[in-house]
Amino acid sequence: MAGNSFGTLFRFTTWGESHGPAIGVVVDGCPSLLDLTEADIQPWMEKRRPGQSRYTTQRQEPDQVKILSGVFEGRTTGTPISLLIENTDQRSKDYSDIAAKFRPGHADYTYWQKYGIRDYRGGGRSSARETACRVAAGAVARKVLGSAIQVRGALVQIGPHRIDRSRWDWAEIDNNPFFCPDPVAATQWADYLDGIRKSGSSVGAVVELVASGVPVGLGDPLYDKLDSDLACAMMTINAVKGVEIGNGFAAAELTGEENADQMRMGPDGLPQFLSNQSGGILGGISTGQDIVVRFAVKPTSSILTPRQTVDTAGNDTDILTKGRHDPCVGIRAVPVGEAMMACVLADHLLRRRVERRE
Amino acid sequence: MAGNSFGTLFRFTTWGESHGPAIGVVVDGCPSLLDLTEADIQPWMEKRRPGQSRYTTQRQEPDQVKILSGVFEGRTTGTPISLLIENTDQRSKDYSDIAAKFRPGHADYTYWQKYGIRDYRGGGRSSARETACRVAAGAVARKVLGSAIQVRGALVQIGPHRIDRSRWDWAEIDNNPFFCPDPVAATQWADYLDGIRKSGSSVGAVVELVASGVPVGLGDPLYDKLDSDLACAMMTINAVKGVEIGNGFAAAELTGEENADQMRMGPDGLPQFLSNQSGGILGGISTGQDIVVRFAVKPTSSILTPRQTVDTAGNDTDILTKGRHDPCVGIRAVPVGEAMMACVLADHLLRRRVERRE
Amino acid sequence: MAGNSFGTLFRFTTWGESHGPAIGVVVDGCPSLLDLTEADIQPWMEKRRPGQSRYTTQRQEPDQVKILSGVFEGRTTGTPISLLIENTDQRSKDYSDIAAKFRPGHADYTYWQKYGIRDYRGGGRSSARETACRVAAGAVARKVLGSAIQVRGALVQIGPHRIDRSRWDWAEIDNNPFFCPDPVAATQWADYLDGIRKSGSSVGAVVELVASGVPVGLGDPLYDKLDSDLACAMMTINAVKGVEIGNGFAAAELTGEENADQMRMGPDGLPQFLSNQSGGILGGISTGQDIVVRFAVKPTSSILTPRQTVDTAGNDTDILTKGRHDPCVGIRAVPVGEAMMACVLADHLLRRRVERRE
Amino acid sequence: MAGNSFGTLFRFTTWGESHGPAIGVVVDGCPSLLDLTEADIQPWMEKRRPGQSRYTTQRQEPDQVKILSGVFEGRTTGTPISLLIENTDQRSKDYSDIAAKFRPGHADYTYWQKYGIRDYRGGGRSSARETACRVAAGAVARKVLGSAIQVRGALVQIGPHRIDRSRWDWAEIDNNPFFCPDPVAATQWADYLDGIRKSGSSVGAVVELVASGVPVGLGDPLYDKLDSDLACAMMTINAVKGVEIGNGFAAAELTGEENADQMRMGPDGLPQFLSNQSGGILGGISTGQDIVVRFAVKPTSSILTPRQTVDTAGNDTDILTKGRHDPCVGIRAVPVGEAMMACVLADHLLRRRVERRE
């Protein structure tokens, strides 16, 4: 059934296959009177765009976003914003190899079983190409958030290699092709990932997202909690297998004393927390602190080593997935995660407007 | 705004506060003609019910479920099923201590900031008592799943102590007060948790859920994926801070070769996977293998050690939360997690009916 | 599938059958900090309550509403408000006659065909008794609307007899058992309906609802328009067969010149309309004028004259529906229509808060 | 907030303004394996397309639909179907007259008040041009319905002139520019409407829709009834002011005896109704008979006679709306109504799949 929309008040619907004429997203529920042009969206597209370093797929897509509706004289009108991205690099190639074989780790088998048909060209709907639409929607969401709320992401682990958190510097994010906040780790990762890439292999990663400037009170308990919506959002991203908030899984090892965020009145006369074990969310509602989310991305399933599989006719066979692939899809998951987080926050920022008697 | 419903086709809405006259849940969308009586629900309530060992809160609630609608002559009618649970153990106590102070780690501060009012008695709406409603809904969901689909949960980590997976035995689950599948670990945990309990402290835990017998094809990409819905479901449970599917965060450290589930035709003439790294979900759709979900529960926030906080008047103060609390809320999260998983699966089992031309 | 909820931000879910232990409604999304007690709800229940005149069913139900959640110290908390109404007048009677026969004009046949089972006692879920829950929800909705917005209803036609609009006097509504604003018509209707009642027959009616004080800007084009939501709301009420806004069907006969509401600046410096042909809605959005809705109610299907029908075994048979029935269900549809209108307006009043950049 | 989607399982979202680069619709939830090409959609577009007779606007739009996604090798894949229609006849004209003045009967004033901004070119989002998207979605819906279910519409009244029902002949629908089933009336209407057109005036109309072949059991009580969804659907169409099912408002004048549809076992051994007063719906659920819906369309608001209005600066002024307009928008509402009815039925046909234990 219908499953291509995300959000409640700030709601987007994506459409399109990897090798169709175009992909796109309709953003509905964006408030009116926000400044919005294509130039506001394009920089975020660039961040996700493939082919910018040797560590991402060499598919070349300009990913130029066209605004088809919902904006008049540079401002949103409150009507749906339709954004379209043409697929320009649809190589005419021979798909006969993957047309009838199920690539391990991909959605080939499950789509085929579920729908009885699948667009096998480049992964069709399940391609990571769809995430371009999320980034476009995220750019609109950032307009809703305004300048006071900042959503940033970083790669904090690639394969077994983690950053040193004491070296975290947001300014480093743009100085390496990994969105890595630790310049020393970034250098090490370059060597490591070169090896992975040259061997035709791939590796997983962990992304960390931080939203700052988020006001207290976002999140609707009990089933539209801010953290449950964030967990859902991250898990909708291709290849994501885990998500955690604040201390996350590490909280399992802590005692109540260690995990509690104590409070004191601040110098500004407002309550403040003395720590942020919770990742900025208590009872599903934002505390006013930084929101901290991490998610794990599995290694790219497309690798050059032949793997055992079956075909649609029921024969055993082998497959090796040639073509232009990311050795670590986790890298490009950073802007996608940011975009999804921005959308969740925009949705809840609007939802918060209705919580009390006016 | 409205945030107290879960699910799309199989949809439940919970209501009620910890110390009000009753709590309850309305299950809407349950197909007709399913056998259902209160006796089908009650055993699952017993599993979650507090006061059954010294490791859970000593609050005594019979948690007797009454079916008020939607069932006629022992069968569901397709109309909403209203389930009511009375609150019988509402001790008349002095709440003045917590009425004006924010308990660290609790939702007190965020509810107060969001709504400008909160029912402070026993946590009000944010109390774990609400999870009784989830378990009741889950019992109905199991009826939808039928006997071929089995949903089971286990505690696999408590504080820093993990089970030995080589000793995993589902039959052990009911032989210890922890839902622990490893009898050796269960013995060790008893000592460990006694220490935690006696010191008035608390500790976190990790729960693992396994659904077997799930057919291929459940899950609606891209934003109602089976895994994103499961992640959302788990993160709605009180105190949950992380969730993962299959290899989860460990997948970040693997290569594509290690993480791929290869396939071969089975002796039954059907495709089969040679491993289950994916946790039974590819591209958001069930593969037909076991669905494996893990989630992390933070330590109970109510502890006997005084913590720094502030009050509603803006004064610094200290608080220590007396009363009947679980030293490890992760234990009772097992039946709650099972119930939520059953509800997600029931929803997607119904959703799957509409995916193809009939 | 799930179909027992109404509204988006102000959302209610009803449950319960005519002859079960109770019926009820859960109102979710009500803002916090509104004053609310059972005494605020009860007067509206009284207005709908049966057995108050000889023109409505003689079933005697106190329809006492209990608030089970969502209110603390007399104010709403932002959590779901659960309202319960016990069924006290469930006569132990012999249902064998209607258990297997389909009453013409009732939902017996369609429920049986759809669900394969039906609670035949008193109509089960399809009984007009369910509308008590709507009235309770409507009482909460009125709290959201506040005192500046007034929702009133009147019976303007009963059978072929219409009121004289020149005699419209809202003060007369409570002076007759018909909610009739025309005292002359009310007298005539009494005689007419006595005849209908004594002959065991029934008759249809038309209800008109007027909401005044509604601000401009309510309604979300294109598919959640204020008028489409109102039309949906009215058509969900038992026995309603038509709904119109403003001029309604009469607009088909008018020219553009006749139907246009011209504008002029008012003495208060604000734009004002010179007429209200539109019924207060243009393009799906409220204009700031009175919202005017009318709906047609078919004659009560339960009549004493034997009618031809079939039974569940596939035999031709006859049926006559004895028991306590309304000779004109349109009368009690007045408070139900008011309640539904209040709920739609409350929903859109909340929705309006998110339409623009703040 | 978001209000541009319609339907639950079969769900579409429209976007686009009258004078933007394009309009479009995303259909989500369409089952896989249905045959679908642009050639299946185009004939329905032709039926609604303006400029085909002197009784509709002379705007010339080819309304060529492009399928951008969701179809592979001529069959639906279960993924969202994106349909795009370019706006080709966007005359470069001077909009200064309507940019600052509110056209009576249009949504100009309400959009401006609600959103604080409006795309005044050709009505922007509130233009009837948007209904082209509905017709495209309806063409997909018809594929879901299959050949056994037929949805047809007819114009049964134009201004004060009604058809003679004894002359109803569906074959006549395509023989006149009014979709009129009565050839005699069609001739009279031509003269009448020529007069209206030449005087620069406009007139209202009534459309009747009939769906045949609809199985029993469609519709989800109590708040997603088949009739409430149909009423909502029709009322979302521009200029619609009333909707009725079966006898509709006429039912108000009938007695229970007159309005009841009696039943007898048919020669095929199945229950059959002896009449269809109900319009094929009882208790919100289809009976298996023809579904009969009527809706009233107000006269086109754009007329050549100057009307009094105000401007955005708060001055009294007059306006006359030149340009290419329909003297009776009710005519082109016929294919739009059909499309909406097809969408509602497709949605409920899918919803029906989940109503019972399988």
Side-chain angles (χ1 to χ4, degrees), chain C residues 7 38 47 61 71 73 75 107 113 162 167 212-213 229 239 248 261 280 291 309 329 345 350:
Chain C
E38 288 159 359
K47 197 168 174 184
E61 289 284 4
V71 176
E73 297 178 345
R75 289 188 300 168
Q113 283 280 4
R162 298 169 195 227
R167 286 196 293 258
S212 53
D229 279 6
D261 295 311
I291 310 285
T309 192
V329 284
L345 291 172
L350 296 178

Side-chain angles (χ1 to χ4, degrees), chain A residues 113 130 223 262 308 356, chain B residues 113 130 223 262 308 356:
Chain A
Q113 283 280 4
E130 187 268 350
Y223 298 97
Q262 300 184 85
Q308 296 181 315
R356 295 195 198 191
Chain B
Q113 283 280 5
E130 186 268 350
Y223 298 97
Q262 301 185 82
Q308 297 180 315
R356 294 197 198 188

Side-chain angles (χ1 to χ4, degrees), chain A residues 46-60 155 177-179 193-194 197 300 323-333 335:
Chain A
E46 295 302 311
K47 198 169 173 183
R48 192 213 71 101
R49 194 162 63 81
Q52 302 190 102
S53 83
R54 64 184 182 277
Y55 305 108
T56 59
T57 171
Q58 295 307 300
R59 179 171 175 162
Q60 292 291 342
L155 206 67
F178 308 110
F179 307 111
L193 206 57
D194 273 332
R197 182 175 58 83
T300 315
R324 302 157 296 170
H325 297 292
D326 292 278
C328 176
V329 284
I331 301 170
R332 292 205 290 137

